[in-house]
Amino acid sequence: RFADKNARDYWAEVYFYDMGKPENAFAVYGMQKRSDFASLNWTQFGYSTSDSLYAAFGKYYIEIFLSSDNGKLLNSAVDAAKQISSAASAGKTDMPVLELFPTENLVADSFKFIPADAFGCDDLKNIFMAEYRIGDNIITAFLSTNAPAETYDKYYRFLIDNGGEELPHELTIMNCKAVDLFGSIELFFH
């Protein structure tokens, strides 16, 4: 905890984590993102709220919690995070898999990473996701770069066993299946 020596009521708690590899830091960053965030313009993966700051850089993840909603205190936290980021990382986090997502209609700052047990299915691992705005709808795209074909079959079975219903479709994508799971339509292919 750091505090202003002249105003002890204004403090910041800084948590700095070595997550082992960039994907782990990115997973925490994306999955814990609060809805009231504002993107940070000085880092690739970072955001703030009125009383906190979060950033992933390389294999590191940082959280800074503030004692109050105070602009001056938040600016100090931003300066501290910049210095920590600069000292601990080479800069840009290399996540080439994110470049596989189409950019048209992509919702800014919507990327997330699920390292294990995605959607309650223990066979789904290393899932990247992003949101797209199509008209008035938000669509979520999921991508796994290393799942074997049988994982898709297991996921299909998982959906059906948990109340899903296979839907007929006219898509020409090879090995594509469509499942309605309680009003949520899932399309997947390998």
Side-chain angles (χ1 to χ4, degrees), residues 27-67:
V28 175
Y29 158 80
M31 297 308 291
Q32 292 189 156
K33 189 179 287 183
R34 293 173 35 182
S35 61
D36 59 339
F37 75 92
S39 296
L40 298 175
N41 63 5
W42 54 269
T43 187
Q44 184 181 8
F45 301 117
Y47 66 95
S48 66
T49 65
S50 62
D51 63 355
S52 57
L53 181 143
Y54 309 82
F57 42 90
K59 65 179 185 166
Y60 301 106
Y61 181 71
I62 188 170
E63 300 174 324
I64 301 178
F65 299 102
L66 308 177
S67 61

Side-chain angles (χ1 to χ4, degrees), residues 69-91:
D69 179 349
N70 178 292
K72 184 177 176 185
L73 190 57
L74 183 58
N75 288 339
S76 294
V78 167
D79 289 343
K82 285 179 181 178
Q83 290 178 20
I84 292 168
S85 171
S86 177
S89 174

Side-chain angles (χ1 to χ4, degrees), residues 48-182:
S48 66
T49 65
S50 62
D51 63 355
S52 57
L53 181 143
Y54 309 82
F57 42 90
K59 65 179 185 166
Y60 301 106
Y61 181 71
I62 188 170
E63 300 174 324
I64 301 178
F65 299 102
L66 308 177
S67 61
S68 66
D69 179 349
N70 178 292
K72 184 177 176 185
L73 190 57
L74 183 58
N75 288 339
S76 294
V78 167
D79 289 343
K82 285 179 181 178
Q83 290 178 20
I84 292 168
S85 171
S86 177
S89 174
K92 186 175 179 183
T93 300
D94 189 26
M95 289 281 186
V97 69
L98 299 183
E99 294 172 14
L100 296 174
F101 285 88
T103 57
E104 184 178 353
N105 300 316
L106 178 66
V107 175
D109 297 317
S110 67
F111 287 114
K112 292 185 173 141
F113 175 64
I114 306 171
D117 302 326
F119 321 120
C121 183
D122 61 2
D123 288 316
L124 286 177
K125 298 171 178 48
N126 301 318
I127 304 294
F128 288 87
M129 47 196 278
E131 292 180 343
Y132 291 84
R133 182 174 305 283
I134 311 293
D136 292 335
N137 298 306
I138 295 292
I139 309 295
T140 306
F142 304 94
L143 174 67
S144 175
T145 59
N146 60 358
E150 55 268 9
T151 298
Y152 296 94
D153 296 331
K154 287 180 182 178
Y155 184 58
Y156 167 78
R157 192 78 255 147
F158 172 81
L159 292 174
I160 298 300
D161 291 347
N162 286 283
E165 179 182 330
E166 184 167 4
L167 298 174
H169 63 81
E170 297 177 13
L171 297 173
T172 58
I173 302 169
M174 195 165 103
N175 298 314
C176 181
K177 294 183 181 183
V179 175
D180 179 340
L181 185 66
F182 307 115

